[in-house]
Amino acid sequence: MNRTLFLALALAALLLTCPLAPAQDGALDPDRRALLRRVLRRLVERRGASGPPRSREAGDGEGAGARALIRALRGSPAERAARDARLAQSLGLTQASLRHEQRERTFYYAGAEPSAAPRPVLFVLHGGSGSGPDMAHKTGYTELARDHGFVVVYPNGWEGNWNDGRGERAKTGVDVSGIDDVGFFAKLFDHAVEHLGGDPRRLYVTGLSNGGTLSYRLGIELTDRIAAIAPVIANLPGALQGLTPSRPLPVLIMNGTADPLMTWDGERAPDGRVKRLSTPETVAWWVRHNGAASAPTTARLLDLDPGDGSTVEVSAYAAARAPVVLYTIHGGGHTFPGSNVPDVAWFVGPKNRDLHGPEAVWTFLSGFTRD
């Protein structure tokens, strides 16, 4: 099976298993119907007997065809904005925007009701080709925010992607290497404090995949603004390992050993350049920077679901101010335990059900206040 066909089938499976908006009486909602029609139309185009595949772009073979397919499946910017607005409304999120670099940057939030005291703020960053409302649906942090009294913010990346420091084109072919996401978040932090009742000493960042990788970058480049970070299914980009955060920063990392996309062992380019550190190297980088204990305290969580193909081990590297905690999902894939992220093991690896990932992330982050 060629890569484009495989990708189309994978996206179709994701759409079938993860609704974009609540459907009534079990019906397939209009957004999913439209996206599935695009999948089928592109499959027909690529598998047709007459002529070359129409989505293939000259000089780039299957890679360009795959990117064209993803762009078609995602729809136009107007279609994506309309889907996001509908999903945000169904989830009780408020949409807002701010201007940065002559671009209108959109974000969504919940939990910013009037309060006598400033509240903690959690910034939740979606993965590549995602959106804020989709991340809210998949993770459930909005419910945690209402239960625990914090503000949750779901920003949108530019064209669905973040400039996380890797310097690579997104899966859709969009080049975000020139997008100033660090500057955008500096403004967004200010906005959350000034307009959402946020506590400037309790700003936290977490994210999945592309969003998790940006969490590392923000933790390094905006250390003086953030109380703690929690990257999930993400490793530190090689391009960032030479930077130095301005102070020790509490970090929780949650990665799967069987992740086929953000591999546990990292990634090297053909010329030997480190594109992404391995998970052990990423942990060691933060342990060294934070001055944490080199030998961790470890514990195995109960294997509550032996049928999920994975188990959880927690390694805590103690430090006076900024510990490093690693959740190793043994046998886990490119997914988030205990969330609504689709369970498509054949494509992204097994999803663990022994742990509620969002609760573990918030429990860790909320224990820290920036000096």
Side-chain angles (χ1 to χ4, degrees):
M1 182 183 297
N2 68 49
R3 185 168 66 174
T4 302
L5 177 58
F6 174 76
L7 181 60
L9 294 173
L11 287 171
L14 290 173
L15 291 169
L16 285 169
T17 55
C18 183
L20 295 172
Q24 299 297 322
D25 303 321
L28 195 64
D29 63 79
D31 288 326
R32 283 195 298 169
R33 283 201 301 270
L35 288 173
L36 285 170
R37 279 197 297 271
R38 289 196 186 95
V39 172
L40 295 174
R41 184 168 62 247
R42 283 290 173 169
L43 283 175
V44 170
E45 289 177 355
R46 293 199 58 79
R47 304 302 288 179
S50 60
R54 279 178 276 174
S55 64
R56 180 174 293 181
E57 296 170 11
D60 198 18
E62 283 297 313
R67 290 194 294 271
L69 173 62
I70 298 174
R71 288 195 297 269
L73 295 176
R74 293 185 69 225
S76 69
E79 289 172 323
R80 294 197 300 271
R83 287 200 303 267
D84 285 347
R86 289 193 296 270
L87 182 54
Q89 184 178 30
S90 73
L91 296 172
L93 302 178
T94 300
Q95 178 177 329
S97 65
L98 57 82
R99 196 156 185 80
H100 180 63
E101 291 190 312
Q102 307 303 311
R103 296 181 176 93
E104 201 69 21
R105 301 297 300 266
T106 305
F107 59 94
Y108 307 82
Y109 64 89
E113 294 80 9
S115 174
R119 295 186 178 192
V121 185
L122 176 63
F123 298 85
V124 183
L125 282 52
H126 62 73
S129 300
S131 73
D134 183 56
M135 190 66 169
H137 168 72
K138 288 178 177 177
T139 59
Y141 280 112
T142 305
E143 291 74 16
L144 285 178
R146 289 165 180 156
D147 290 343
H148 295 281
F150 64 90
V151 179
V152 61
V153 179
Y154 303 98
N156 273 356
W158 186 251
E159 292 291 325
N161 297 278
W162 302 108
N163 179 6
D164 59 16
R166 284 181 284 179
E168 300 174 351
R169 284 183 178 272
K171 291 178 292 184
T172 55
V174 175
D175 185 0
V176 293
S177 61
I179 301 297
D180 180 21
D181 277 327
V182 174
F184 165 56
F185 273 90
K187 281 189 177 180
L188 188 56
F189 292 164
D190 290 340
H191 182 93
V193 171
E194 295 171 9
H195 302 287
L196 304 183
D199 184 343
R201 300 176 63 223
R202 292 185 293 169
L203 304 180
Y204 310 104
V205 180
T206 187
L208 304 185
S209 194
N210 180 210
T213 309
L214 181 59
S215 299
Y216 287 125
R217 184 177 187 184
L218 297 177
I220 293 170
E221 298 191 38
L222 294 178
T223 324
D224 59 340
R225 303 293 305 276
I226 298 171
I229 63 172
V232 179
I233 49 177
N235 286 323
L236 188 70
L240 299 184
Q241 63 179 325
L243 302 181
T244 303
S246 61
R247 63 177 178 84
L249 183 72
V251 179
L252 179 148
I253 298 167
M254 187 178 295
N255 286 350
T257 61
D259 188 334
L261 304 180
M262 188 72 68
T263 55
W264 180 268
D265 293 330
E267 184 181 1
R268 266 62 175 173
D271 61 4
R273 175 177 54 88
V274 177
K275 297 178 70 175
R276 285 193 295 265
L277 275 65
S278 69
T279 297
E281 290 169 338
T282 298
V283 170
W285 192 94
W286 284 102
V287 165
R288 184 171 57 254
H289 167 69
N290 287 358
S294 58
T297 300
T298 62
R300 286 265 186 173
L301 301 189
L302 291 175
D303 189 8
L304 301 177
D305 188 345
D308 67 10
S310 61
T311 58
V312 181
E313 181 179 8
V314 184
S315 302
Y317 299 80
R321 296 168 54 199
V324 178
V325 174
L326 170 65
Y327 277 76
T328 300
I329 315 299
H330 292 282
H334 195 73
T335 185
F336 192 21
S339 69
N340 291 326
V341 173
D343 189 356
V344 194
W346 62 271
F347 180 51
V348 297
K351 179 180 178 180
N352 181 267
R353 298 187 184 89
D354 304 326
L355 168 71
H356 191 278
E359 285 188 355
V361 165
W362 176 246
T363 298
F364 173 82
L365 294 176
S366 61
F368 301 98
T369 301
R370 182 176 57 80
D371 295 334

